[in-house]
Amino acid sequence: MFASSLAKIRNGNLDAFWQLYDMSYEKVYHFIYHRTQDHERSEDIVADTYTKAMARISSFRGEHEGEFFSWIYRIAYTTLIDQTRTAHTSESLDDVE
């Protein structure tokens, strides 16, 4: 199932992307929530993660479900780090004013 869904996604089938989203959302959400302990922030990060994944799906070279999870977790983790840096930078700028 995974390989056929992936082939459909690479051919532009958004329904297949949403199937992968449904299959992986809970795991990705818990992966992020475990690190943030904040539901709202976790939901924002996961939404950004899937937006990035959809834009970058052509760069995914894996063929197996486990490779997909590694890839999506990496995007999620990088998104978390980026948002954390942005939050800290904005807090530092607020201190200057």
Side-chain angles (χ1 to χ4, degrees):
M1 178 196 141
F2 179 80
S4 66
S5 292
L6 187 57
K8 290 176 185 176
I9 292 168
R10 287 180 174 151
N11 288 323
N13 183 323
L14 290 179
D15 289 335
F17 181 84
W18 291 115
Q19 288 175 348
L20 282 182
Y21 171 88
D22 290 340
M23 173 189 81
S24 60
Y25 176 87
E26 189 173 322
K27 290 179 182 179
V28 174
Y29 174 82
H30 288 292
F31 174 78
I32 294 300
Y33 180 76
H34 178 73
R35 286 151 180 81
T36 65
Q37 298 297 305
D38 181 324
H39 291 290
E40 187 175 320
R41 185 168 177 228
S42 296
E43 288 174 356
D44 289 345
I45 292 168
V46 172
D48 288 349
T49 296
Y50 282 98
T51 299
K52 290 175 183 180
M54 184 180 288
R56 298 176 186 167
I57 196 69
S58 63
S59 72
F60 176 67
R61 299 290 177 229
E63 295 296 328
H64 304 286
E65 190 173 324
E67 294 169 313
F68 173 77
F69 276 106
S70 295
W71 181 74
I72 197 83
Y73 286 149
R74 174 46 89 196
I75 294 172
Y77 185 73
T78 302
T79 302
L80 169 64
I81 297 300
D82 290 346
Q83 287 193 8
T84 301
R85 283 184 189 142
T86 301
H88 286 294
T89 300
S90 129
E91 287 173 9
S92 296
L93 292 175
D94 287 344
D95 292 341
V96 171
E97 294 175 8

PDB file of all heavy atoms in Angstrom, residues 36-55:
ATOM      1  N   THR A  36       7.727  19.498  23.213  1.00  0.00           N
ATOM      2  CA  THR A  36       7.252  20.847  23.538  1.00  0.00           C
ATOM      3  C   THR A  36       6.379  20.897  24.786  1.00  0.00           C
ATOM      4  O   THR A  36       6.329  21.932  25.449  1.00  0.00           O
ATOM      5  CB  THR A  36       6.426  21.439  22.388  1.00  0.00           C
ATOM      6  OG1 THR A  36       5.228  20.673  22.220  1.00  0.00           O
ATOM      7  CG2 THR A  36       7.224  21.501  21.098  1.00  0.00           C
ATOM      8  N   GLN A  37       5.642  19.833  25.035  1.00  0.00           N
ATOM      9  CA  GLN A  37       4.652  19.791  26.122  1.00  0.00           C
ATOM     10  C   GLN A  37       3.629  20.924  25.982  1.00  0.00           C
ATOM     11  O   GLN A  37       3.126  21.451  26.972  1.00  0.00           O
ATOM     12  CB  GLN A  37       5.342  19.855  27.494  1.00  0.00           C
ATOM     13  CG  GLN A  37       6.269  18.688  27.771  1.00  0.00           C
ATOM     14  CD  GLN A  37       5.542  17.351  27.814  1.00  0.00           C
ATOM     15  OE1 GLN A  37       4.596  17.195  28.574  1.00  0.00           O
ATOM     16  NE2 GLN A  37       5.979  16.401  27.008  1.00  0.00           N
ATOM     17  N   ASP A  38       3.338  21.292  24.739  1.00  0.00           N
ATOM     18  CA  ASP A  38       2.415  22.390  24.442  1.00  0.00           C
ATOM     19  C   ASP A  38       1.559  21.978  23.239  1.00  0.00           C
ATOM     20  O   ASP A  38       2.077  21.863  22.132  1.00  0.00           O
ATOM     21  CB  ASP A  38       3.220  23.655  24.147  1.00  0.00           C
ATOM     22  CG  ASP A  38       2.384  24.876  23.858  1.00  0.00           C
ATOM     23  OD1 ASP A  38       1.315  24.752  23.224  1.00  0.00           O
ATOM     24  OD2 ASP A  38       2.814  25.979  24.241  1.00  0.00           O
ATOM     25  N   HIS A  39       0.255  21.769  23.478  1.00  0.00           N
ATOM     26  CA  HIS A  39      -0.632  21.285  22.402  1.00  0.00           C
ATOM     27  C   HIS A  39      -0.701  22.258  21.230  1.00  0.00           C
ATOM     28  O   HIS A  39      -0.566  21.852  20.073  1.00  0.00           O
ATOM     29  CB  HIS A  39      -2.044  21.027  22.940  1.00  0.00           C
ATOM     30  CG  HIS A  39      -2.121  19.865  23.872  1.00  0.00           C
ATOM     31  ND1 HIS A  39      -1.977  18.566  23.455  1.00  0.00           N
ATOM     32  CD2 HIS A  39      -2.306  19.806  25.215  1.00  0.00           C
ATOM     33  CE1 HIS A  39      -2.071  17.746  24.492  1.00  0.00           C
ATOM     34  NE2 HIS A  39      -2.268  18.477  25.576  1.00  0.00           N
ATOM     35  N   GLU A  40      -0.931  23.519  21.518  1.00  0.00           N
ATOM     36  CA  GLU A  40      -1.095  24.508  20.441  1.00  0.00           C
ATOM     37  C   GLU A  40       0.189  24.634  19.606  1.00  0.00           C
ATOM     38  O   GLU A  40       0.138  24.630  18.375  1.00  0.00           O
ATOM     39  CB  GLU A  40      -1.471  25.865  21.036  1.00  0.00           C
ATOM     40  CG  GLU A  40      -1.812  26.894  19.980  1.00  0.00           C
ATOM     41  CD  GLU A  40      -2.292  28.196  20.598  1.00  0.00           C
ATOM     42  OE1 GLU A  40      -3.040  28.157  21.594  1.00  0.00           O
ATOM     43  OE2 GLU A  40      -1.909  29.253  20.072  1.00  0.00           O
ATOM     44  N   ARG A  41       1.305  24.730  20.277  1.00  0.00           N
ATOM     45  CA  ARG A  41       2.585  24.836  19.561  1.00  0.00           C
ATOM     46  C   ARG A  41       2.857  23.566  18.751  1.00  0.00           C
ATOM     47  O   ARG A  41       3.313  23.637  17.603  1.00  0.00           O
ATOM     48  CB  ARG A  41       3.711  25.075  20.568  1.00  0.00           C
ATOM     49  CG  ARG A  41       5.037  25.309  19.909  1.00  0.00           C
ATOM     50  CD  ARG A  41       6.061  25.831  20.897  1.00  0.00           C
ATOM     51  NE  ARG A  41       7.330  25.973  20.217  1.00  0.00           N
ATOM     52  CZ  ARG A  41       8.479  25.528  20.686  1.00  0.00           C
ATOM     53  NH1 ARG A  41       8.526  24.967  21.881  1.00  0.00           N
ATOM     54  NH2 ARG A  41       9.591  25.661  20.006  1.00  0.00           N
ATOM     55  N   SER A  42       2.555  22.420  19.324  1.00  0.00           N
ATOM     56  CA  SER A  42       2.752  21.153  18.614  1.00  0.00           C
ATOM     57  C   SER A  42       1.889  21.098  17.356  1.00  0.00           C
ATOM     58  O   SER A  42       2.364  20.681  16.291  1.00  0.00           O
ATOM     59  CB  SER A  42       2.424  19.977  19.524  1.00  0.00           C
ATOM     60  OG  SER A  42       3.305  19.938  20.614  1.00  0.00           O
ATOM     61  N   GLU A  43       0.647  21.506  17.455  1.00  0.00           N
ATOM     62  CA  GLU A  43      -0.238  21.507  16.281  1.00  0.00           C
ATOM     63  C   GLU A  43       0.293  22.430  15.199  1.00  0.00           C
ATOM     64  O   GLU A  43       0.261  22.088  14.013  1.00  0.00           O
ATOM     65  CB  GLU A  43      -1.647  21.915  16.692  1.00  0.00           C
ATOM     66  CG  GLU A  43      -2.363  20.837  17.486  1.00  0.00           C
ATOM     67  CD  GLU A  43      -3.707  21.283  18.033  1.00  0.00           C
ATOM     68  OE1 GLU A  43      -4.090  22.466  17.869  1.00  0.00           O
ATOM     69  OE2 GLU A  43      -4.384  20.437  18.640  1.00  0.00           O
ATOM     70  N   ASP A  44       0.802  23.602  15.587  1.00  0.00           N
ATOM     71  CA  ASP A  44       1.380  24.530  14.607  1.00  0.00           C
ATOM     72  C   ASP A  44       2.597  23.922  13.917  1.00  0.00           C
ATOM     73  O   ASP A  44       2.738  24.023  12.696  1.00  0.00           O
ATOM     74  CB  ASP A  44       1.788  25.841  15.276  1.00  0.00           C
ATOM     75  CG  ASP A  44       0.611  26.697  15.700  1.00  0.00           C
ATOM     76  OD1 ASP A  44      -0.532  26.436  15.236  1.00  0.00           O
ATOM     77  OD2 ASP A  44       0.822  27.623  16.508  1.00  0.00           O
ATOM     78  N   ILE A  45       3.451  23.300  14.692  1.00  0.00           N
ATOM     79  CA  ILE A  45       4.660  22.697  14.125  1.00  0.00           C
ATOM     80  C   ILE A  45       4.306  21.545  13.197  1.00  0.00           C
ATOM     81  O   ILE A  45       4.883  21.410  12.109  1.00  0.00           O
ATOM     82  CB  ILE A  45       5.614  22.240  15.251  1.00  0.00           C
ATOM     83  CG1 ILE A  45       6.177  23.464  15.971  1.00  0.00           C
ATOM     84  CG2 ILE A  45       6.738  21.353  14.706  1.00  0.00           C
ATOM     85  CD1 ILE A  45       6.895  23.157  17.271  1.00  0.00           C
ATOM     86  N   VAL A  46       3.347  20.731  13.588  1.00  0.00           N
ATOM     87  CA  VAL A  46       2.944  19.606  12.742  1.00  0.00           C
ATOM     88  C   VAL A  46       2.317  20.115  11.440  1.00  0.00           C
ATOM     89  O   VAL A  46       2.593  19.585  10.362  1.00  0.00           O
ATOM     90  CB  VAL A  46       2.008  18.641  13.501  1.00  0.00           C
ATOM     91  CG1 VAL A  46       1.435  17.593  12.577  1.00  0.00           C
ATOM     92  CG2 VAL A  46       2.763  17.983  14.655  1.00  0.00           C
ATOM     93  N   ALA A  47       1.512  21.161  11.521  1.00  0.00           N
ATOM     94  CA  ALA A  47       0.929  21.738  10.304  1.00  0.00           C
ATOM     95  C   ALA A  47       2.030  22.238   9.369  1.00  0.00           C
ATOM     96  O   ALA A  47       1.999  21.961   8.154  1.00  0.00           O
ATOM     97  CB  ALA A  47      -0.025  22.878  10.658  1.00  0.00           C
ATOM     98  N   ASP A  48       3.016  22.927   9.919  1.00  0.00           N
ATOM     99  CA  ASP A  48       4.147  23.389   9.105  1.00  0.00           C
ATOM    100  C   ASP A  48       4.932  22.211   8.531  1.00  0.00           C
ATOM    101  O   ASP A  48       5.395  22.267   7.395  1.00  0.00           O
ATOM    102  CB  ASP A  48       5.086  24.273   9.931  1.00  0.00           C
ATOM    103  CG  ASP A  48       4.510  25.643  10.234  1.00  0.00           C
ATOM    104  OD1 ASP A  48       3.464  26.008   9.639  1.00  0.00           O
ATOM    105  OD2 ASP A  48       5.105  26.355  11.070  1.00  0.00           O
ATOM    106  N   THR A  49       5.064  21.167   9.328  1.00  0.00           N
ATOM    107  CA  THR A  49       5.789  19.973   8.881  1.00  0.00           C
ATOM    108  C   THR A  49       5.140  19.387   7.629  1.00  0.00           C
ATOM    109  O   THR A  49       5.828  19.091   6.636  1.00  0.00           O
ATOM    110  CB  THR A  49       5.820  18.912  10.001  1.00  0.00           C
ATOM    111  OG1 THR A  49       6.568  19.435  11.099  1.00  0.00           O
ATOM    112  CG2 THR A  49       6.424  17.601   9.519  1.00  0.00           C
ATOM    113  N   TYR A  50       3.833  19.217   7.645  1.00  0.00           N
ATOM    114  CA  TYR A  50       3.158  18.612   6.489  1.00  0.00           C
ATOM    115  C   TYR A  50       3.112  19.552   5.294  1.00  0.00           C
ATOM    116  O   TYR A  50       3.147  19.091   4.148  1.00  0.00           O
ATOM    117  CB  TYR A  50       1.772  18.098   6.874  1.00  0.00           C
ATOM    118  CG  TYR A  50       1.879  16.786   7.608  1.00  0.00           C
ATOM    119  CD1 TYR A  50       1.828  16.733   8.991  1.00  0.00           C
ATOM    120  CD2 TYR A  50       2.081  15.598   6.913  1.00  0.00           C
ATOM    121  CE1 TYR A  50       1.963  15.533   9.668  1.00  0.00           C
ATOM    122  CE2 TYR A  50       2.217  14.396   7.579  1.00  0.00           C
ATOM    123  CZ  TYR A  50       2.161  14.367   8.958  1.00  0.00           C
ATOM    124  OH  TYR A  50       2.309  13.173   9.614  1.00  0.00           O
ATOM    125  N   THR A  51       3.082  20.843   5.540  1.00  0.00           N
ATOM    126  CA  THR A  51       3.165  21.808   4.433  1.00  0.00           C
ATOM    127  C   THR A  51       4.516  21.668   3.744  1.00  0.00           C
ATOM    128  O   THR A  51       4.593  21.621   2.505  1.00  0.00           O
ATOM    129  CB  THR A  51       2.971  23.247   4.960  1.00  0.00           C
ATOM    130  OG1 THR A  51       1.671  23.342   5.555  1.00  0.00           O
ATOM    131  CG2 THR A  51       3.104  24.262   3.842  1.00  0.00           C
ATOM    132  N   LYS A  52       5.573  21.585   4.547  1.00  0.00           N
ATOM    133  CA  LYS A  52       6.917  21.398   3.987  1.00  0.00           C
ATOM    134  C   LYS A  52       7.044  20.044   3.296  1.00  0.00           C
ATOM    135  O   LYS A  52       7.656  19.940   2.224  1.00  0.00           O
ATOM    136  CB  LYS A  52       7.970  21.529   5.088  1.00  0.00           C
ATOM    137  CG  LYS A  52       8.114  22.934   5.610  1.00  0.00           C
ATOM    138  CD  LYS A  52       9.082  22.986   6.779  1.00  0.00           C
ATOM    139  CE  LYS A  52       9.177  24.391   7.344  1.00  0.00           C
ATOM    140  NZ  LYS A  52      10.111  24.448   8.487  1.00  0.00           N
ATOM    141  N   ALA A  53       6.494  19.011   3.904  1.00  0.00           N
ATOM    142  CA  ALA A  53       6.576  17.668   3.313  1.00  0.00           C
ATOM    143  C   ALA A  53       5.891  17.634   1.950  1.00  0.00           C
ATOM    144  O   ALA A  53       6.415  17.043   1.003  1.00  0.00           O
ATOM    145  CB  ALA A  53       5.966  16.634   4.250  1.00  0.00           C
ATOM    146  N   MET A  54       4.728  18.274   1.861  1.00  0.00           N
ATOM    147  CA  MET A  54       4.014  18.283   0.588  1.00  0.00           C
ATOM    148  C   MET A  54       4.852  19.000  -0.475  1.00  0.00           C
ATOM    149  O   MET A  54       4.960  18.527  -1.608  1.00  0.00           O
ATOM    150  CB  MET A  54       2.655  18.967   0.736  1.00  0.00           C
ATOM    151  CG  MET A  54       1.826  18.910  -0.540  1.00  0.00           C
ATOM    152  SD  MET A  54       0.225  19.720  -0.365  1.00  0.00           S
ATOM    153  CE  MET A  54      -0.631  18.566   0.678  1.00  0.00           C
ATOM    154  N   ALA A  55       5.483  20.099  -0.092  1.00  0.00           N
ATOM    155  CA  ALA A  55       6.304  20.856  -1.037  1.00  0.00           C
ATOM    156  C   ALA A  55       7.570  20.096  -1.439  1.00  0.00           C
ATOM    157  O   ALA A  55       8.084  20.287  -2.539  1.00  0.00           O
ATOM    158  CB  ALA A  55       6.674  22.206  -0.440  1.00  0.00           C
TER     159      ALA A  55
END
